Amino acid sequence: MLCPKIVPQGDIERALGFGAITVPGERRYYELTFNNASGRHWVVGRGGRRQVAKFVFGSAWRARVLRRDRIDGRVTSTYAFKGYPVGGLHGDHVAIFTKYRETIVFASVHGREHRGVALSVLRSMLPTS
C-alpha cells in the first residue's frame, strides 16, 4: 500500500468520514478516502489497469482527459470527473494517474482547479528515484 506523505489543506476530519475502500476478491485494488476540516475531499489509490478502469472510471462518460504529461520522468494523465452523483466517489474531482510497478497509482482531489494539489499528493506517494 502506498500512502501519501502530505495532507492537503488541514487535518483529517474524523467526523466527516475517512477510510479504506477495498473490493472483495480484488487483491490488486484499494482506495483511501479522506475529508479535511477545510471541507476538501480527496482520495488516493492503487490497482491494476483493469481494476482502476472498472472502479474509478466505471463508464467512459464519468471523466474526461484534461492532459497528458511527463512529470518526474513518469507519464501522467489528468482527468476531470463529472459532478456527483454521475462522477461517483470522484465527483467534481481532478485526478492524476501514473504507472508504478505494473500498477496504476492515483490521487484525486475535490475541485477541478486543484490539479497542483493532486500532483503534490501523488508525488508524495512515489519514490523519487
Side-chain angles (χ1 to χ4, degrees):
M1 181 172 287
L2 299 173
C3 293
K5 294 174 184 70
I6 65 168
V7 174
Q9 267 196 339
D11 296 331
I12 302 298
E13 178 57 60
R14 294 180 189 275
L16 297 175
F18 67 95
I21 298 172
T22 58
V23 179
E26 294 287 356
R27 297 180 327 163
R28 290 182 45 121
Y29 182 78
Y30 69 88
E31 288 182 84
L32 304 174
T33 180
F34 305 93
N35 286 294
N36 291 50
S38 64
R40 180 165 297 155
H41 174 240
W42 54 287
V43 181
V44 297
R46 181 179 184 187
R49 184 176 304 277
R50 182 182 63 77
Q51 291 85 2
V52 169
K54 180 178 180 181
F55 299 118
V56 177
F57 290 99
S59 300
W61 45 264
R62 288 179 65 174
R64 66 180 170 87
V65 68
L66 294 178
R67 60 194 288 175
R68 300 197 195 280
D69 297 294
R70 182 170 288 279
I71 300 171
D72 300 334
R74 298 178 189 277
V75 174
T76 64
S77 297
T78 302
Y79 288 83
F81 282 78
K82 294 201 178 216
Y84 184 84
V86 174
L89 178 66
H90 303 276
D92 289 316
H93 281 218
V94 63
I96 303 178
F97 299 78
T98 194
K99 187 175 176 182
Y100 176 69
R101 294 187 178 176
E102 305 305 319
T103 63
I104 304 296
V105 176
F106 63 92
S108 172
V109 177
H110 187 87
R112 294 183 189 133
E113 70 279 9
H114 293 123
R115 181 179 178 276
V117 175
L119 180 58
S120 293
V121 172
L122 180 67
R123 280 179 161 154
S124 80
M125 294 170 62
L126 299 168
T128 56
S129 57

PDB file of all heavy atoms in Angstrom, residues 7-23:
ATOM      1  N   VAL A   7      -0.787  15.949   3.521  1.00  0.00           N
ATOM      2  CA  VAL A   7      -2.237  16.052   3.648  1.00  0.00           C
ATOM      3  C   VAL A   7      -2.633  17.425   3.100  1.00  0.00           C
ATOM      4  O   VAL A   7      -2.160  18.439   3.604  1.00  0.00           O
ATOM      5  CB  VAL A   7      -2.681  15.923   5.125  1.00  0.00           C
ATOM      6  CG1 VAL A   7      -4.162  16.185   5.273  1.00  0.00           C
ATOM      7  CG2 VAL A   7      -2.310  14.551   5.659  1.00  0.00           C
ATOM      8  N   PRO A   8      -3.476  17.459   2.070  1.00  0.00           N
ATOM      9  CA  PRO A   8      -3.853  18.767   1.540  1.00  0.00           C
ATOM     10  C   PRO A   8      -4.771  19.532   2.491  1.00  0.00           C
ATOM     11  O   PRO A   8      -5.729  18.984   3.007  1.00  0.00           O
ATOM     12  CB  PRO A   8      -4.572  18.451   0.233  1.00  0.00           C
ATOM     13  CG  PRO A   8      -4.871  17.013   0.260  1.00  0.00           C
ATOM     14  CD  PRO A   8      -4.036  16.365   1.318  1.00  0.00           C
ATOM     15  N   GLN A   9      -4.427  20.768   2.749  1.00  0.00           N
ATOM     16  CA  GLN A   9      -5.246  21.732   3.499  1.00  0.00           C
ATOM     17  C   GLN A   9      -5.836  21.245   4.793  1.00  0.00           C
ATOM     18  O   GLN A   9      -7.036  21.008   4.906  1.00  0.00           O
ATOM     19  CB  GLN A   9      -6.360  22.265   2.612  1.00  0.00           C
ATOM     20  CG  GLN A   9      -5.979  23.516   1.938  1.00  0.00           C
ATOM     21  CD  GLN A   9      -7.182  24.239   1.394  1.00  0.00           C
ATOM     22  OE1 GLN A   9      -8.244  23.674   1.178  1.00  0.00           O
ATOM     23  NE2 GLN A   9      -7.014  25.509   1.160  1.00  0.00           N
ATOM     24  N   GLY A  10      -5.022  21.084   5.779  1.00  0.00           N
ATOM     25  CA  GLY A  10      -5.542  20.855   7.117  1.00  0.00           C
ATOM     26  C   GLY A  10      -5.655  19.409   7.531  1.00  0.00           C
ATOM     27  O   GLY A  10      -5.386  18.497   6.772  1.00  0.00           O
ATOM     28  N   ASP A  11      -6.050  19.243   8.771  1.00  0.00           N
ATOM     29  CA  ASP A  11      -6.136  17.920   9.379  1.00  0.00           C
ATOM     30  C   ASP A  11      -7.293  17.107   8.816  1.00  0.00           C
ATOM     31  O   ASP A  11      -8.269  17.645   8.314  1.00  0.00           O
ATOM     32  CB  ASP A  11      -6.328  18.062  10.895  1.00  0.00           C
ATOM     33  CG  ASP A  11      -5.117  18.716  11.554  1.00  0.00           C
ATOM     34  OD1 ASP A  11      -4.005  18.556  11.026  1.00  0.00           O
ATOM     35  OD2 ASP A  11      -5.306  19.379  12.579  1.00  0.00           O
ATOM     36  N   ILE A  12      -7.174  15.798   8.964  1.00  0.00           N
ATOM     37  CA  ILE A  12      -8.249  14.891   8.575  1.00  0.00           C
ATOM     38  C   ILE A  12      -9.397  15.070   9.569  1.00  0.00           C
ATOM     39  O   ILE A  12      -9.194  15.083  10.782  1.00  0.00           O
ATOM     40  CB  ILE A  12      -7.769  13.423   8.598  1.00  0.00           C
ATOM     41  CG1 ILE A  12      -6.580  13.230   7.670  1.00  0.00           C
ATOM     42  CG2 ILE A  12      -8.909  12.475   8.256  1.00  0.00           C
ATOM     43  CD1 ILE A  12      -6.852  13.515   6.221  1.00  0.00           C
ATOM     44  N   GLU A  13     -10.593  15.208   9.055  1.00  0.00           N
ATOM     45  CA  GLU A  13     -11.781  15.386   9.883  1.00  0.00           C
ATOM     46  C   GLU A  13     -12.451  14.030  10.088  1.00  0.00           C
ATOM     47  O   GLU A  13     -13.104  13.505   9.188  1.00  0.00           O
ATOM     48  CB  GLU A  13     -12.742  16.366   9.219  1.00  0.00           C
ATOM     49  CG  GLU A  13     -14.033  16.591   9.967  1.00  0.00           C
ATOM     50  CD  GLU A  13     -13.832  17.064  11.385  1.00  0.00           C
ATOM     51  OE1 GLU A  13     -13.231  18.132  11.589  1.00  0.00           O
ATOM     52  OE2 GLU A  13     -14.288  16.355  12.303  1.00  0.00           O
ATOM     53  N   ARG A  14     -12.296  13.456  11.247  1.00  0.00           N
ATOM     54  CA  ARG A  14     -12.845  12.126  11.526  1.00  0.00           C
ATOM     55  C   ARG A  14     -14.366  12.111  11.471  1.00  0.00           C
ATOM     56  O   ARG A  14     -14.966  11.140  11.055  1.00  0.00           O
ATOM     57  CB  ARG A  14     -12.351  11.623  12.874  1.00  0.00           C
ATOM     58  CG  ARG A  14     -10.872  11.370  12.891  1.00  0.00           C
ATOM     59  CD  ARG A  14     -10.411  10.878  14.256  1.00  0.00           C
ATOM     60  NE  ARG A  14      -8.966  10.835  14.324  1.00  0.00           N
ATOM     61  CZ  ARG A  14      -8.223   9.826  13.898  1.00  0.00           C
ATOM     62  NH1 ARG A  14      -8.790   8.790  13.355  1.00  0.00           N
ATOM     63  NH2 ARG A  14      -6.916   9.868  14.002  1.00  0.00           N
ATOM     64  N   ALA A  15     -15.010  13.176  11.889  1.00  0.00           N
ATOM     65  CA  ALA A  15     -16.481  13.212  11.919  1.00  0.00           C
ATOM     66  C   ALA A  15     -17.078  13.159  10.517  1.00  0.00           C
ATOM     67  O   ALA A  15     -18.199  12.707  10.339  1.00  0.00           O
ATOM     68  CB  ALA A  15     -16.956  14.475  12.641  1.00  0.00           C
ATOM     69  N   LEU A  16     -16.333  13.620   9.523  1.00  0.00           N
ATOM     70  CA  LEU A  16     -16.850  13.644   8.154  1.00  0.00           C
ATOM     71  C   LEU A  16     -16.629  12.327   7.424  1.00  0.00           C
ATOM     72  O   LEU A  16     -17.189  12.099   6.374  1.00  0.00           O
ATOM     73  CB  LEU A  16     -16.198  14.787   7.368  1.00  0.00           C
ATOM     74  CG  LEU A  16     -16.494  16.185   7.883  1.00  0.00           C
ATOM     75  CD1 LEU A  16     -15.702  17.212   7.090  1.00  0.00           C
ATOM     76  CD2 LEU A  16     -17.985  16.487   7.813  1.00  0.00           C
ATOM     77  N   GLY A  17     -15.787  11.497   7.940  1.00  0.00           N
ATOM     78  CA  GLY A  17     -15.571  10.187   7.336  1.00  0.00           C
ATOM     79  C   GLY A  17     -14.247  10.061   6.629  1.00  0.00           C
ATOM     80  O   GLY A  17     -13.753  11.006   6.029  1.00  0.00           O
ATOM     81  N   PHE A  18     -13.665   8.906   6.740  1.00  0.00           N
ATOM     82  CA  PHE A  18     -12.426   8.567   6.055  1.00  0.00           C
ATOM     83  C   PHE A  18     -12.273   7.063   6.132  1.00  0.00           C
ATOM     84  O   PHE A  18     -12.953   6.407   6.909  1.00  0.00           O
ATOM     85  CB  PHE A  18     -11.219   9.262   6.705  1.00  0.00           C
ATOM     86  CG  PHE A  18     -10.915   8.773   8.093  1.00  0.00           C
ATOM     87  CD1 PHE A  18      -9.974   7.790   8.287  1.00  0.00           C
ATOM     88  CD2 PHE A  18     -11.604   9.276   9.182  1.00  0.00           C
ATOM     89  CE1 PHE A  18      -9.704   7.312   9.565  1.00  0.00           C
ATOM     90  CE2 PHE A  18     -11.342   8.812  10.464  1.00  0.00           C
ATOM     91  CZ  PHE A  18     -10.383   7.836  10.658  1.00  0.00           C
ATOM     92  N   GLY A  19     -11.380   6.532   5.321  1.00  0.00           N
ATOM     93  CA  GLY A  19     -11.111   5.116   5.457  1.00  0.00           C
ATOM     94  C   GLY A  19     -10.702   4.445   4.177  1.00  0.00           C
ATOM     95  O   GLY A  19     -10.580   5.075   3.125  1.00  0.00           O
ATOM     96  N   ALA A  20     -10.491   3.170   4.299  1.00  0.00           N
ATOM     97  CA  ALA A  20     -10.052   2.351   3.181  1.00  0.00           C
ATOM     98  C   ALA A  20     -11.256   1.781   2.439  1.00  0.00           C
ATOM     99  O   ALA A  20     -12.259   1.427   3.048  1.00  0.00           O
ATOM    100  CB  ALA A  20      -9.176   1.213   3.686  1.00  0.00           C
ATOM    101  N   ILE A  21     -11.116   1.722   1.135  1.00  0.00           N
ATOM    102  CA  ILE A  21     -12.113   1.071   0.297  1.00  0.00           C
ATOM    103  C   ILE A  21     -11.409  -0.084  -0.398  1.00  0.00           C
ATOM    104  O   ILE A  21     -10.433   0.116  -1.117  1.00  0.00           O
ATOM    105  CB  ILE A  21     -12.682   2.040  -0.762  1.00  0.00           C
ATOM    106  CG1 ILE A  21     -13.382   3.209  -0.071  1.00  0.00           C
ATOM    107  CG2 ILE A  21     -13.623   1.308  -1.710  1.00  0.00           C
ATOM    108  CD1 ILE A  21     -13.798   4.307  -1.014  1.00  0.00           C
ATOM    109  N   THR A  22     -11.896  -1.270  -0.121  1.00  0.00           N
ATOM    110  CA  THR A  22     -11.376  -2.457  -0.800  1.00  0.00           C
ATOM    111  C   THR A  22     -12.563  -3.193  -1.409  1.00  0.00           C
ATOM    112  O   THR A  22     -13.702  -2.995  -1.006  1.00  0.00           O
ATOM    113  CB  THR A  22     -10.622  -3.385   0.171  1.00  0.00           C
ATOM    114  OG1 THR A  22     -11.501  -3.772   1.223  1.00  0.00           O
ATOM    115  CG2 THR A  22      -9.391  -2.693   0.758  1.00  0.00           C
ATOM    116  N   VAL A  23     -12.257  -4.020  -2.379  1.00  0.00           N
ATOM    117  CA  VAL A  23     -13.297  -4.772  -3.066  1.00  0.00           C
ATOM    118  C   VAL A  23     -13.016  -6.254  -2.856  1.00  0.00           C
ATOM    119  O   VAL A  23     -11.921  -6.724  -3.171  1.00  0.00           O
ATOM    120  CB  VAL A  23     -13.316  -4.430  -4.576  1.00  0.00           C
ATOM    121  CG1 VAL A  23     -14.380  -5.223  -5.295  1.00  0.00           C
ATOM    122  CG2 VAL A  23     -13.512  -2.930  -4.792  1.00  0.00           C
TER     123      VAL A  23
END
